[in-house]
Amino acid sequence: MRIVIAPDSFKGSASAVHVCDAIAAGWRDVRPDDELVLLPMADGGEGTLDAFLLAVPGSSRVHVEVVGPDGQEVEASWALLPPTPELPGGTGVVELAETSGLPLMTHPDPLGAHTLGFGQAIADALDRGVSRLLLAIGGSASTDGGTGALVALGASLLDADGDPLELGGGVLSDVARVDLSELPPLPSSGALVLSDVTNPLLGETGAAHVFGEQKGADAAQRAALDLALAHWARAAQDAGAAVDPSTSGAGAAGGTGFGLLAWGATLVSGASTIADAIGLDDALSGADLVITGEGRYDAQTDGGKAPAVVAERAGAAGVPMALVAGSIAVKPVGFADAVALAELAGDVQSAIDDPVRWLRRAGAVLAERAGRP
């Protein structure tokens, strides 16, 4: 049999690469002669770089030192995908989680955290002459509307005295003037923003109210950040940014989606774009089974997350599907088989404590069932 293994990461537990390897090891324990194709997936969050580096031959990791979300230096990286006739400078893949992600914070700072490092990594890719940018924006530590990234790229945010503002979402209500004229042009083939988040910038479903709590913001801070983002949006529009804060995805990554739209980037489905870039459709050709998964399979999965995209592609190719998830909250539709690590381990915490063990067992269980008449 030919098996394609294409899961997302199990967030906070195991990267997509480790998930792939563990499921594959379990499968080989039972069926060592089968052909396994490992394609770790992502949707624009943590693990996006690894997915590209593993799946795209000739890609390389470019190391860069940036200022992290709390102002401390961070040793980060971005991925350079090889040139093609259409993209002679190659493609730069920059992952916000690598440079400005929540795990980089020693303690939450909902008002002061920023995306400066993300912009610095983007600038490094531009300096190397990439023809296209893929900007993965999941996992943000901040609610700064993408202003830190724009400042790193050359934008100016000034207060009433004409002085540059400090970084972070908490000061955006003090923006008196925005100058976007020094932003560099987009690369020749543009910049695509990879995200599975469809929230607008403002309001009850916006960046501050929906995602602020996980970044440490209490109710009063979330309300203040929402007002600050609204002020920033008006100032950006006054400076010539043709972007509507109600745009789907503008609220992604604490409003970084809005900031990148103000630069001229385009928001796209992270999982679908990554599936195309790593050659998922080609891998499915002739496959007997595709295994996908994520940490928690629930009602939100069908909203464009990686397992849903893999399932859609597999269905179109007529390939049977199996699901591996840490926990399964809703009945999987369209899958020939499904395994929850929590059931194998006895409970969710046991599965989280030793994910590789239970992922390997899940791979073995699926292989055992596949071998039955």
Side-chain angles (χ1 to χ4, degrees):
M1 295 178 68
R2 184 169 186 268
I3 313 300
V4 175
I5 304 176
D8 197 356
S9 64
F10 283 37
K11 290 179 175 58
S13 181
S15 71
V17 172
H18 289 148
V19 174
C20 268
D21 288 344
I23 293 174
W27 189 280
R28 290 191 183 104
D29 288 341
V30 177
R31 298 178 59 93
D33 296 327
D34 287 345
E35 177 190 357
L36 304 185
V37 179
L38 276 56
L39 286 179
M41 274 288 293
D43 55 21
E46 182 181 355
T48 298
L49 286 192
D50 290 337
F52 278 103
L53 289 166
L54 185 65
V56 180
S59 58
S60 59
R61 189 182 294 272
V62 180
H63 295 277
V64 60
E65 188 174 279
V66 302
V67 177
D70 58 357
Q72 303 298 310
E73 290 186 354
V74 171
E75 295 290 338
S77 61
W78 54 275
L80 177 61
L81 308 188
T84 66
E86 297 80 15
L87 302 167
T91 296
V93 184
V94 187
E95 182 184 299
L96 185 147
E98 273 263 324
T99 58
S100 307
L102 190 58
L104 298 174
M105 301 287 291
T106 54
H107 56 82
D109 185 4
L111 302 182
H114 56 76
T115 54
L116 184 73
F118 183 49
Q120 290 173 327
I122 294 171
D124 190 63
L126 291 174
D127 288 344
R128 291 175 182 263
V130 298
S131 297
R132 180 180 64 165
L133 284 168
L134 300 179
L135 306 175
I137 62 171
S140 169
S142 69
T143 310
D144 75 344
T147 53
L150 293 181
V151 167
L153 289 168
S156 297
L157 278 69
L158 307 176
D159 62 18
D161 296 324
D163 296 323
L165 282 183
E166 294 182 3
L167 297 170
V171 299
L172 293 180
S173 292
D174 296 330
V175 175
R177 186 169 69 86
V178 174
D179 184 357
L180 305 176
S181 64
E182 296 301 316
L183 287 175
L186 296 174
S188 57
S189 293
L192 301 180
V193 182
L194 313 183
S195 175
D196 69 341
V197 171
T198 58
N199 301 72
L201 180 66
L202 307 173
E204 291 302 313
T205 60
H209 285 296
V210 173
F211 304 111
E213 184 174 4
Q214 69 191 39
K215 301 170 186 179
D218 60 26
Q221 290 171 323
R222 294 196 295 274
L225 284 167
D226 188 60
L227 291 174
L229 289 172
H231 185 80
W232 150 237
R234 289 191 296 271
Q237 290 173 327
D238 290 343
V243 53
D244 186 337
S246 67
T247 300
S248 176
T256 301
F258 177 85
L260 295 173
L261 284 171
W263 182 32
T266 302
L267 289 171
V268 297
S269 164
S272 291
T273 303
I274 292 167
D276 289 340
I278 67 176
L280 177 62
D281 291 340
D282 290 340
L284 291 172
S285 178
D288 296 292
L289 178 71
V290 59
I291 302 172
T292 189
E294 63 180 338
R296 176 179 168 83
Y297 183 90
D298 56 24
Q300 297 182 37
T301 300
D302 284 339
K305 291 193 173 182
V309 170
V310 174
E312 180 184 3
R313 303 290 181 94
V319 180
M321 299 171 286
L323 173 72
V324 175
S327 61
I328 299 176
V330 297
K331 183 179 179 179
V333 177
F335 289 89
D337 204 349
V339 178
L341 304 192
E343 292 183 6
L344 296 178
D347 57 72
V348 171
Q349 191 57 51
S350 295
I352 292 173
D353 289 342
D354 196 357
V356 171
R357 173 189 176 186
W358 298 111
L359 284 162
R360 184 167 185 158
R361 179 61 191 142
V365 167
L366 291 176
E368 289 165 358
R369 293 173 181 172
R372 293 173 185 168

